[in-house]
Amino acid sequence: MPAKGELLYEGKAKRVYRTAEPDQYLVEFKDDATAFDGLKKGTITRKGEINARLSALFFQKLSRQGIPTHFIEQVGPRELLVRAVEIIPVEVVARNVAAGSLAKRLGLEEGTSLKRPVLEFYYKSDALHDPMINNYHIAALELATDTQVKEMESYAWKINTILTEFLKPANLVLVDFKLEFGLFHGHVLLADEISPDTCRFWDRTSMEKLDKDRFRRDLGGVEDAYEEVLHRVEGLPA
Ligand code: TMP
Ligand code: ASP
């Protein structure tokens, strides 16, 4: 594993370190879990390892399908080597089924499938509690250029199709998910993580929740749900 250099950033679920290569960072996934802007805190045993592994598998799948990502290789049980991107402070959420904040805001019953998938942007700002924004806000605040926004949208739709299909044989529904992108030598790359922390995965048959909602909503069986998703995804053909 490349040596961990200066700790550049510590977030709620990950630490990012410099490496000897200026163009590469090392991301370490933690077992810490938070929800509601850090108001609820806990740990999920083995979450760091599971989310690192799942992110690696999803990033590999997506790169093979033509999505440029920050992922280089998994270098430890909870460590990924990635390209040293500068994160664009816009979270991109794609939704296929009404759940969470969308169900609440629009008065839809959770589990209602949407006639068309929905894309939303949120301003990545802890101080402001990640408010929802649109293309005009992104331009006004110069969070990203119009071209970068179009690229993020186009990648998000492609990712939605690829992951929805990929997860079907694992009997998982991709309800919704959050993506972050970064800039690397002027190019937009998919970054951050793809895991049960950042996606809603439901069992196709029972509609049981197999993601961080089990932690957010005190549903129990949190660790088992993360293990189950890993087990199913590891069993999929690459
Ligand atoms: P939401 O329904 O709470 O807006 O969440 C939409 C998706 O985004 C869901 O898959 C979980 C993910 N998400 C994050 O990754 N980070 C967050 O801070 C929140 C609130 C949601
Ligand atoms: N991770 C976020 C927080 O701590 C929220 C979430 O995932 O629900 O605020």
Side-chain angles (χ1 to χ4, degrees):
M1 177 159 57
K4 289 172 190 161
E6 180 197 351
L7 174 65
L8 278 176
Y9 164 86
E10 175 152 10
K12 286 173 282 212
K14 297 185 289 299
R15 294 187 188 93
V16 180
Y17 296 91
R18 274 194 213 282
T19 67
E21 287 293 327
D23 266 359
Q24 301 181 354
Y25 291 159
L26 199 140
V27 181
E28 180 186 61
F29 287 68
K30 307 195 286 186
D31 288 350
D32 299 349
T34 67
F36 316 117
D37 260 328
L39 240 67
K40 182 181 169 81
K41 287 191 176 69
T43 52
I44 300 175
T45 308
R46 272 189 28 92
K47 176 167 88 77
E49 280 191 37
I50 293 173
N51 285 2
R53 186 74 204 124
L54 279 169
S55 292
L57 291 168
F58 288 132
F59 284 134
Q60 277 162 1
K61 173 74 193 169
L62 292 168
S63 336
R64 277 197 290 268
Q65 304 278 323
I67 307 289
T69 84
H70 72 156
F71 177 74
I72 301 171
E73 61 173 325
Q74 182 162 7
V75 291
R78 55 174 74 229
E79 287 94 357
L80 304 187
L81 189 65
V82 302
R83 295 186 177 85
V85 298
E86 187 193 331
I87 293 287
I88 298 171
V90 174
E91 298 188 350
V92 182
V93 170
R95 304 178 184 268
N96 300 302
V97 177
S101 69
L102 179 86
K104 203 170 179 178
R105 199 157 36 82
L106 300 186
L108 296 169
E109 192 185 337
E110 196 162 65
T112 312
S113 70
L114 300 166
K115 301 287 178 209
R116 285 209 194 185
V118 165
L119 210 65
E120 298 169 345
F121 299 121
Y122 293 85
Y123 180 21
K124 193 172 153 63
S125 160
D126 282 341
L128 299 173
H129 312 294
D130 297 351
M132 189 192 277
I133 52 174
N134 64 29
N135 303 52
Y136 296 99
H137 301 114
I138 296 175
L141 273 65
E142 294 186 312
L143 303 179
T145 66
D146 291 352
T147 313
Q148 289 163 356
V149 172
K150 285 204 179 78
E151 280 188 277
M152 291 194 287
E153 283 181 343
S154 152
Y155 290 144
W157 290 129
K158 282 186 189 146
I159 292 164
N160 190 34
T161 305
I162 296 166
L163 293 186
T164 296
E165 289 307 311
F166 182 54
L167 291 168
K168 270 185 191 161
N171 209 38
L172 292 172
V173 180
L174 182 61
V175 170
D176 56 31
F177 57 96
K178 184 264 301 176
L179 302 172
E180 294 185 26
F181 294 87
L183 290 177
F184 184 72
H185 298 299
H187 295 282
V188 174
L189 303 187
L190 176 65
D192 195 52
E193 66 177 284
I194 303 182
S195 73
D197 274 15
T198 63
C199 304
R200 287 194 171 96
F201 300 120
W202 292 358
D203 181 86
R204 266 189 184 275
T205 314
S206 64
M207 291 295 160
E208 187 192 0
K209 297 181 198 311
L210 295 172
D211 54 59
K212 196 176 166 190
D213 272 346
R214 303 206 71 85
F215 170 79
R216 295 188 188 101
R217 303 180 190 188
D218 295 319
L219 299 176
V222 184
E223 277 88 0
D224 286 350
Y226 279 69
E227 296 282 359
E228 179 65 22
V229 172
L230 177 64
H231 177 72
R232 292 194 199 184
V233 173
E234 277 187 324
L236 291 172

